[in-house]
Amino acid sequence: MNKPVSAAICLIGDELLSGRTRDINVQQIAGFLGPYGIPVEEVRIVPDVEARIVEAVNQLRERYTYVFTTGGIGPTHDDITADAIAAAFGIGIGKHPEVMAMLQERYDEMGTEFTEARQRMARIPEGASLVENPVSGAPGFQTGNVFTLAGVPSIVQGMLQDIGHRLEKGVPVRSITVRSGGLREGDVAEKLASLSQELEGVSLGSYPWFRSVTDHGVALIARSTDREMLQTAAEQLVALVTEAGRESEVIEGEAS
């Protein structure tokens, strides 16, 4: 049986904490890891402060199988993630010759000067392996169990394609949704709590939606690594909805 594996995500950037930038990388990374059986169990957001990044990364890499950081590996003064990762691991950092050559060629092709600021993107912690960036060129990197990615979602998506083959697979968590229009959480809350206690190895969640007075309801979602238990949970959720006097729709996976 595969041993449990887990992941954490550390989002880095003042712009996330100020509300200027809305994050979608958690959804991207968690969705990518799901088929590998690697659940994301914690997410942190930290500012562009080296000590705070070091603290978060060291805590997370000790607790989880993998850590994914996003943001802070660009060419500007506040892009300090590479230095923070090096500090967290107690290793040096310098301009990677292969990355320097690759970026020099890329900027030459664009007819753009490869300035000292742009050369910052070639600074990689010693011993780290590169993570390919098919979108904009400047790579991410892997240091131990920590993957350091860019912050731009399209670049993160591209970088993830060079990570799957490095991961140890766990047991995928499957899910099923029992969706009911017109249902209210209070209609099933008590019995859902009891059912949650009865179904060992199954996680149950209740997610209401309200778009208008005529378009509202609840999506009850069961999650488990055990197919049979998941099916049992779905049947009992349908019975729960029926008992509440509502009709239900069963959907494979997670639906709103």
Side-chain angles (χ1 to χ4, degrees), residues 100-234:
M100 284 289 289
M102 181 269 292
L103 290 178
Q104 180 70 69
E105 181 179 359
R106 188 179 184 90
Y107 281 107
D108 286 346
E109 289 177 353
M110 294 188 296
T112 303
E113 184 181 359
F114 188 30
T115 62
E116 187 66 30
R118 293 185 174 112
Q119 290 177 28
R120 283 176 54 82
M121 294 186 290
R123 298 176 71 251
I124 306 292
E126 293 177 358
S129 58
L130 302 179
V131 174
E132 184 180 354
N133 173 3
V135 178
S136 61
F141 50 87
Q142 177 186 357
T143 316
N145 64 335
V146 179
F147 294 94
T148 301
L149 312 180
V152 178
S154 61
I155 299 177
V156 170
Q157 187 176 47
M159 286 182 170
L160 287 172
Q161 306 316 306
D162 190 32
I163 289 176
H165 64 93
R166 312 180 192 212
L167 301 175
E168 177 184 357
K169 293 184 179 181
V171 181
V173 175
R174 295 176 172 83
S175 58
I176 194 164
T177 301
V178 175
R179 190 175 184 277
S180 178
L183 185 70
R184 299 180 184 276
E185 285 191 298
D187 298 336
V188 295
E190 292 184 9
K191 292 183 179 179
L192 186 65
S194 298
L195 188 59
S196 180
Q197 295 295 319
E198 297 170 10
L199 293 171
E200 186 176 351
V202 179
S203 170
L204 298 179
S206 174
Y207 307 96
W209 79 85
F210 190 96
R211 301 184 183 95
S212 71
V213 292
T214 58
D215 183 5
H216 62 87
V218 178
L220 302 174
I221 299 180
R223 304 178 181 92
S224 179
T225 58
D226 187 311
R227 287 181 181 272
E228 291 186 5
M229 285 300 299
L230 191 62
Q231 187 58 43
T232 297

Side-chain angles (χ1 to χ4, degrees), residues 68-89:
F68 292 79
T69 76
T70 69
I73 57 174
T76 60
H77 72 283
D78 58 346
D79 288 316
I80 60 171
T81 301
D83 296 274
I85 297 296
F89 280 85

Side-chain angles (χ1 to χ4, degrees), residues 33-51:
L33 294 175
Y36 290 91
I38 304 174
V40 173
E41 297 186 354
E42 184 172 349
V43 177
R44 295 193 194 183
I45 306 176
V46 296
D48 293 311
V49 176
E50 182 172 310

